[in-house]
Amino acid sequence: MTSTADRLVEFDEVLTRYEPVIGLETHVELGTASKMFCGCATTFGAEPNTHTCPVCLGMPGSLPVANAAAIEATIKIGLALGCRIANWSRFARKNYFYPDIPKGFQTSQYDEPLCVAGHLDVEVDGTTHRVEIERVHLEEDTGKNLHVGGATGRIHGADHSLIDFNRAGIPLVEIVTRPVPGAGRLAPEVARAYVTELREIVQALGVSDVRMEQGSLRCDVNISLNPVGDLEWGTRTETKNVNSLRSVERAVRFEMRRQAAVLDSGGRIVQETRHFHEDTGTTSSGRSKEEATDYRYFPEPDLVPLAPDADWIEKLRAELPELPAARRTRLQQEWGISGTEMTWLANAGALGLVEQTVAAGASPGDARKWWLGDLARRANEAGTELGELAVTPAQVAELVRLVNEGTINDGLARQVLDGVLAGQGDPAQVVEAQGLAVMGESDELVAAVEAAIAGAPDVIAKVKAGKVQALGALVGAVMKTTRGKADAPTVKRMLEERVLGS
Amino acid sequence: MSSISREDVAHLARLSRLAVTDEELDRFAGQLDQVLAAVARVGEAAVADVPPMTHAVPLTNVLRPDEVTPSLSRDVVLAGAPAAEDGRIRVPRILGDAE
Ligand SMILES: [Zn+2]
């Protein structure tokens, strides 16, 4: 299986001799409540084989009925990608034998998919790359295999396998691009940007939670190389199991380097399925080609054709939300920020959070400052996503308001944030509970100021001699005795009044 | 007209996971030929202006609302399986030794 040491050509060198063509097949598990052709629940993480019935187990005599919400979600994805929606579409049986497929075939679509001929524009390094969409079709997911007796769950060397059919029959949308030539050295980034943008779109449509780590968005990456200037594309490989955005980029990069080495040595690329290995960032040759793709597709006799009429399609089009690209353009304008700043926000996953923080009353500048600054650092330290931090946009907006009102200063605000993240309540509650508000000109502050003056006669002498900036040391001393709770400008004024008598 | 060869039958048998003897390959090839010949008569009626038909009923868009209905109990499901382990259906090794 794995050739342990594939020879690799340096990435930059690959580009001197070869041009890559990439293509992506993305599977999105829809977030419907019930399965594609039966009423079994789709809840993730249920006890194995508790969500099955005669239909999704493929029992003889059972009859499937298509889930209306899944059809509508698929059409919406097609519309968002600028596809033409077919006015006549059918399901087909894709026949193959594998234990995770109870019926002996997967109900899919073949030559009559629901949506065809769309496109998605992605931006990489300031240039726009158009990725043409060949088709968007609807099928069903398979069960899950657990391999026993081999090394850590691998199928190779396993003694036997255990199957959970809970996932079998969950609606799965497949989005297939046309081959994308011309990306050159940006091919890995274009592939990643495409999947990122597709994920954003599906998320905006609200039809799937698109969590790659849970497998509700999965990617197969096709790559071929041809000598620079050749009109004919090379033989492609298809890399499966690419389950993170970063891995999409790594898989393209690795295959380009591996294929270049094979071609350099006069070898030929084998058209095959390859597996991506998350730990090493490499690919290895996949399943045997002995029974290469004789799926014997034929129209599914148990499901009648789909014929979406114009009214239905237009109703769905009217329901489309603002799409991510349009939203970014609008927010960039509203917030008056540059394209680069917008890219940072989007890449940090902070766009929605900043938007909600602004909606809760913060200025765009303050909202960005907190999410990209302190909160980004904390998320980074904790190794989580920004959105998973235990603080809501409304709480960040409240924090900003408390700072702007002068109730707390930036330093105190960080302590307040600690409290919020530790689950001690909203910012105002934390301020109250821990007494973190900035001190007014209280007796305590007056005492601290007078103690500082009394304790530093040398500094006072300097100030009186005209070196006014020496007062800064006393401001620092007062801030220290008040543990940061004093307002620095107030302290400075109080010191000046007492030392200079003004 | 013999259009189904022994090799075709062997291929179909492998795809269907059926064990077929040499003697059966010859017999089935002949039988399948006769079946195909009978079905081929449909082609005589299917002239150019008759679109291919896969369903006998003129129905489209038969859909159900996205509502959860009860599933089978797991005990019932697993009782129908040849073997089970840890709430899952147990199957023999998937990849052969050669792989
Ligand atoms: Zn079911």
Side-chain angles (χ1 to χ4, degrees):
Chain A
M1 34 168 267
T2 317
S3 51
T4 38
D6 279 308
R7 291 201 311 111
L8 301 175
V9 174
E10 283 305 315
F11 185 75
D12 285 339
E13 207 190 319
V14 175
L15 278 310
T16 63
R17 294 192 287 280
Y18 302 103
E19 295 168 338
V21 178
I22 54 174
L24 292 120
E25 291 170 25
T26 312
H27 285 97
V28 173
E29 207 176 75
L30 295 178
T32 50
S34 65
K35 290 188 180 181
M36 185 62 228
F37 300 114
C38 63
C40 289
T42 58
T43 331
F44 183 80
E47 280 291 301
N49 293 309
T50 51
H51 295 165
T52 64
C53 72
V55 172
C56 57
L57 289 173
M59 296 295 177
S62 62
L63 279 175
V65 186
N67 183 334
I71 307 284
E72 296 202 330
T74 308
I75 294 176
K76 281 184 177 177
I77 292 174
L79 289 171
L81 294 171
C83 289
R84 185 167 59 73
I85 309 305
N87 54 21
W88 185 262
S89 171
R90 273 189 300 194
F91 288 102
R93 293 188 179 185
K94 178 182 184 179
N95 299 279
Y96 67 97
F97 184 84
Y98 206 72
D100 62 11
I101 192 129
K103 295 181 290 191
F105 62 85
Q106 179 189 33
T107 307
S108 180
Q109 297 199 281
Y110 184 49
D111 53 353
E112 295 165 294
L114 260 175
C115 324
V116 294
H119 65 266
L120 181 57
D121 290 335
V122 297
E123 210 155 299
V124 174
D125 263 12
T127 55
T128 301
H129 296 257
R130 171 153 294 197
V131 178
E132 305 274 356
I133 307 293
E134 168 130 359
R135 58 190 277 151
V136 177
H137 76 242
L138 186 50
E139 57 190 32
E140 58 181 339
D141 212 341
T142 61
K144 263 189 149 165
N145 297 332
L146 192 70
H147 305 297
V148 182
T152 57
R154 295 280 306 269
I155 187 170
H156 293 280
D159 172 62
H160 61 276
S161 298
L162 302 176
I163 308 175
D164 171 11
F165 283 124
N166 282 351
R167 203 181 64 177
I170 291 186
L172 198 62
V173 172
E174 179 170 343
I175 301 130
V176 184
T177 71
R178 292 179 57 77
V180 184
R185 71 176 53 254
L186 293 179
E189 281 107 320
V190 168
R192 178 186 181 144
Y194 164 79
V195 181
T196 307
E197 187 69 8
L198 184 62
R199 190 177 71 152
E200 295 267 320
I201 288 174
V202 173
Q203 206 159 33
L205 293 173
V207 297
S208 167
D209 60 4
V210 284
R211 298 180 69 135
M212 291 186 91
E213 71 283 4
Q214 286 186 1
S216 57
L217 186 147
R218 317 197 277 267
C219 224
D220 302 339
V221 183
N222 294 321
I223 305 134
S224 72
L225 293 183
N226 55 265
V228 171
D230 256 25
L231 292 178
E232 202 171 317
W233 294 337
T235 303
R236 67 187 161 84
T237 59
E238 180 177 8
T239 301
K240 302 237 179 214
N241 303 343
V242 189
N243 289 336
S244 75
L245 295 173
R246 183 167 157 261
S247 297
V248 170
E249 188 176 332
R250 289 162 83 208
V252 174
R253 201 174 291 273
F254 179 86
E255 269 301 285
M256 285 173 67
R257 297 180 60 198
R258 185 190 69 84
Q259 291 187 15
V262 172
L263 294 170
D264 277 354
S265 66
R268 287 178 47 210
I269 301 299
V270 184
Q271 180 160 356
E272 64 179 352
T273 299
R274 297 184 69 84
H275 290 293
F276 184 73
H277 304 284
E278 198 73 45
D279 46 353
T280 53
T282 61
T283 68
S284 65
S285 185
R287 75 167 76 113
S288 92
K289 278 84 54 194
E290 182 203 356
E291 295 185 11
T293 57
D294 188 357
Y295 291 130
R296 295 156 294 140
Y297 280 100
F298 63 86
E300 165 58 85
D302 290 344
L303 291 160
V304 300
L306 297 168
D309 62 24
D311 285 351
W312 192 15
I313 294 168
E314 288 318 307
K315 178 190 117 346
L316 294 172
R317 195 192 302 278
E319 286 172 17
L320 292 185
E322 180 183 33
L323 294 176
R327 172 163 168 254
R328 285 196 299 270
T329 308
R330 174 177 60 79
L331 291 177
Q332 190 185 326
Q333 262 169 9
E334 283 178 15
W335 297 345
I337 61 177
S338 71
T340 317
E341 285 173 297
M342 184 45 90
T343 309
W344 285 340
L345 277 174
N347 290 349
L351 206 54
L353 296 167
V354 169
E355 191 180 18
Q356 289 165 44
T357 308
V358 171
S363 75
D366 283 335
R368 269 164 40 226
K369 183 185 94 173
W370 281 99
W371 284 108
L372 286 187
D374 259 71
L375 289 164
R377 184 175 51 74
R378 286 162 199 256
N380 200 19
E381 282 166 7
T384 76
E385 300 286 322
L386 265 184
E388 284 161 19
L389 288 175
V391 58
T392 64
Q395 288 171 327
V396 174
E398 185 179 321
L399 193 70
V400 167
R401 182 174 56 76
L402 292 171
V403 172
N404 291 345
E405 285 172 0
T407 308
I408 51 176
N409 55 33
D410 271 5
L412 289 170
R414 291 194 180 89
Q415 294 181 46
V416 174
L417 197 53
D418 287 336
V420 173
L421 289 169
Q424 294 165 8
D426 289 333
Q429 293 170 317
V430 175
V431 168
E432 177 73 28
Q434 299 193 18
L436 288 174
V438 164
M439 287 176 164
E441 215 166 316
S442 60
D443 289 350
E444 191 188 347
L445 187 55
V446 169
V449 166
E450 288 176 351
I453 292 170
D458 50 332
V459 176
I460 303 304
K462 275 190 207 162
V463 173
K464 288 197 164 155
K467 224 180 150 199
V468 183
Q469 64 270 36
L471 268 182
L474 296 187
V475 174
V478 174
M479 293 305 286
K480 203 170 165 196
T481 47
T482 57
R483 297 190 316 280
K485 286 194 279 179
D487 176 50
T490 307
V491 172
K492 183 156 179 277
R493 181 177 48 75
M494 290 168 71
L495 284 164
E496 283 169 356
E497 281 168 8
R498 283 164 180 76
V499 177
L500 301 171
S502 57
Chain B
M1 51 154 203
S2 178
S3 51
I4 296 279
S5 66
R6 287 183 101 244
E7 288 68 36
D8 290 332
V9 179
H11 178 61
L12 286 172
R14 192 167 67 248
L15 290 173
S16 314
R17 284 354 190 230
L18 292 174
V20 177
T21 64
D22 275 1
E23 183 262 326
E24 283 171 327
L25 287 180
D26 290 322
R27 184 146 51 91
F28 292 159
Q31 287 179 350
L32 283 169
D33 246 1
Q34 286 175 17
V35 172
L36 276 192
V39 175
R41 289 172 60 198
V42 172
E44 293 163 24
V47 287
D49 61 345
V50 179
M53 187 184 77
T54 50
H55 296 80
V57 285
L59 279 177
T60 58
N61 302 340
V62 176
L63 307 174
R64 61 177 183 86
D66 180 25
E67 283 162 11
V68 174
T69 55
S71 294
L72 293 173
S73 96
R74 184 162 77 187
D75 291 344
V76 170
V77 172
L78 297 182
E85 186 177 318
D86 293 340
R88 296 173 170 90
I89 291 165
R90 178 178 166 145
V91 299
R93 179 190 310 170
I94 294 174
L95 292 188
D97 292 328
E99 291 158 301

